[in-house]
Amino acid sequence: MASYTSNVEFLGKPQTARQLAAGASSANTALSSGIYRISMRAVGADIRFELGMGAQTANATTSNFIADGERLDFACASGSQIAVIRDGSDDGVLELTELG
């Protein structure tokens, strides 16, 4: 008999939860070492983000987009950093869960 883990991609166990404020200026946050996947949800506003190695800077018009209420999951390199900024005139929060 097959188990659920043979039928779906394993995303990981929830680890550190972060609330990243997305305001008028770009804000950068380092993820925990050894984290290779994240799940994130925009709350209260559309948000722009940059995810990569080293300090990141998000741009309100050209960075990656996540809509208010949308959830996205990503693979990332250990030691990644993420920057967020609001997309419009409303501040929001990016709820981010590191998956171990």
Side-chain angles (χ1 to χ4, degrees), residues 51-85:
L51 177 65
M53 296 303 293
Q56 302 293 301
T57 302
N59 181 289
T61 56
T62 60
S63 291
N64 300 295
F65 178 82
I66 182 170
D68 183 13
E70 182 177 14
R71 177 173 296 280
L72 297 174
D73 299 325
F74 288 99
C76 59
S78 177
S80 289
Q81 297 188 34
I82 186 168
V84 297
I85 194 169

Side-chain angles (χ1 to χ4, degrees), residues 20-29 40-51 56-68 70 72 74 81-96:
L20 308 178
S25 299
S26 178
N28 184 74
T29 300
M40 58 189 191
R41 182 172 185 261
V43 178
D46 295 339
I47 295 173
R48 298 282 181 161
F49 68 94
E50 290 291 336
L51 177 65
Q56 302 293 301
T57 302
N59 181 289
T61 56
T62 60
S63 291
N64 300 295
F65 178 82
I66 182 170
D68 183 13
E70 182 177 14
L72 297 174
F74 288 99
Q81 297 188 34
I82 186 168
V84 297
I85 194 169
R86 66 185 189 202
D87 182 60
S89 58
D90 295 330
D91 290 350
V93 173
L94 188 70
E95 294 283 354
L96 185 141

Side-chain angles (χ1 to χ4, degrees), residues 5-45:
T5 56
S6 65
N7 295 317
V8 297
E9 182 179 355
F10 180 69
L11 289 177
K13 177 183 173 190
Q15 301 278 327
T16 303
R18 299 178 183 275
Q19 293 181 323
L20 308 178
S25 299
S26 178
N28 184 74
T29 300
L31 302 178
S32 299
S33 178
I35 293 300
Y36 296 95
R37 292 185 180 212
I38 59 171
S39 181
M40 58 189 191
R41 182 172 185 261
V43 178

